[in-house]
Amino acid sequence: VAPPPADAVAPPAPPIPALARPQRSFEELVGKRWMTWAGALALVVAAGLFVDLAVDRGWLGPLARTALAAAAGAALIAAGVRAERREMRALAQGLIGGGIAILYVAAFAGYRLYHLVGAVPAFGAFVAITIAGMALAVRHDARPIALLAVIGGLLAPVLVSSGGDQRDALCAYLSILDLGVLWVAFRKLWRALDTVALAGTWLLFTGWYVEHGASTARAPTLAWVFAFHALFVGLPFAHHLRRRAPLSLERFAAALASAALSLGYSSEILVGTTVVSNVATT
């Protein structure tokens, strides 16, 4: 059988170009993400108003209110995980974020408002909620949930504070929290996390220093300043050197700000020590 003429053979079909991922429009961003988070916030506010109404009417006792709030938070998180499995990403993040916020509120109410638990169990609850929030954020690749967990973790010492001088406990907790936050920020490339951790850490340290810095031992305080300096300046530079990756402008600015704060506090502590020693010798 003679082969068909060359002009009778159909040319190969051109390859089909891959569909480009469409850019999210402003309407889609507002409709799917912002409105979802607004709905989650409205749900938290509605839960708070219901609890307030129940308190005024005497429907629920303190233990029932706290337990109901904790159960509602856990139920929202479970619903968010289920929504994520159904590929409803925006809804899932809103539900999980709202559930974590309600759990924080429940822990705060059980400790500060109703005195159902002591400071140590309440602080443990805050830590557990923060860890769970960070784990859910990493698992579902949800930066807003991670930010919410970091903010809650930074607020935990303030919410359970008794007003005493707890320098070592506060700084040790912040160091552990910052290590976890930086690990997640480096792994997921979420640069906002380490910025929030840096700002919260130095704000909490400043609050403690204003209240107790003048009446406490200087050497351990200086050691904690160096520890924060190593966390927010040395660790990011070491990470980028190890990865041979350029340091971003945001991270460089954050490291520079942290270095300036470390230098300022070191000077303040050393000058204060010099003044005290001079007064003692005279």
Side-chain angles (χ1 to χ4, degrees):
V1 179
D7 55 355
V9 178
I16 300 176
L19 294 178
R21 186 176 180 180
Q23 296 292 330
R24 290 180 301 175
S25 62
F26 178 77
E27 293 80 4
E28 182 181 2
L29 182 63
V30 173
K32 288 188 175 180
R33 178 163 297 182
W34 293 0
M35 293 303 295
T36 300
W37 280 97
L41 179 61
L43 191 60
V44 174
V45 173
L49 292 176
F50 172 76
V51 171
D52 183 67
L53 178 63
V55 172
D56 293 339
R57 299 292 179 88
W59 296 342
L60 301 172
L63 180 60
R65 301 167 203 160
T66 306
L68 183 62
L76 283 179
I77 293 175
V81 172
R82 186 172 182 179
E84 178 68 24
R85 293 174 181 172
R86 296 184 178 182
E87 299 182 355
M88 294 183 288
R89 183 176 177 79
L91 177 61
Q93 292 187 10
L95 291 174
I96 294 175
I100 292 174
I102 291 177
L103 288 180
Y104 277 126
V105 172
F108 173 75
Y111 168 67
R112 183 71 70 178
L113 299 180
Y114 306 135
H115 308 289
L116 298 175
V117 296
V120 175
F123 187 73
F126 283 119
V127 172
I129 296 169
T130 301
I131 294 174
M134 292 296 290
L136 287 169
V138 172
R139 179 179 179 182
H140 299 291
D141 195 23
R143 186 183 308 180
I145 296 176
L147 286 171
L148 179 62
V150 172
I151 293 173
L154 291 170
L155 288 176
V158 179
L159 297 177
V160 301
S161 175
S162 60
D165 185 2
Q166 300 291 332
R167 178 197 59 201
D168 293 339
L170 173 65
C171 293
Y173 167 75
L174 289 176
S175 299
I176 296 173
L177 176 66
D178 292 336
L179 281 173
V181 171
L182 288 173
W183 179 80
V184 174
F186 293 158
R187 178 183 175 184
K188 303 294 292 184
L189 301 179
W190 291 342
R191 295 171 183 169
L193 292 187
D194 46 345
T195 303
V196 172
L198 184 151
T201 297
W202 283 113
L203 281 174
L204 289 175
F205 182 82
T206 300
W208 168 85
Y209 191 83
V210 170
E211 293 291 331
H212 307 286
S215 60
T216 190
R218 302 289 177 149
T221 305
L222 188 61
W224 283 119
V225 171
F226 288 158
F228 294 146
H229 179 77
L231 280 172
F232 292 112
V233 179
L235 195 58
F237 277 94
H239 171 76
H240 283 270
L241 285 175
R242 180 184 176 187
R243 299 275 182 169
R244 296 181 179 180
L247 194 68
S248 64
L249 180 60
E250 298 88 350
R251 190 155 285 164
F252 178 79
L256 185 62
S258 183
L261 288 169
S262 301
L263 179 61
Y265 273 111
S266 300
S267 301
E268 167 69 21
I269 293 169
L270 293 174
V271 169
T273 302
T274 304
V275 171
V276 171
S277 59
N278 291 338
V279 172
T281 55
T282 55

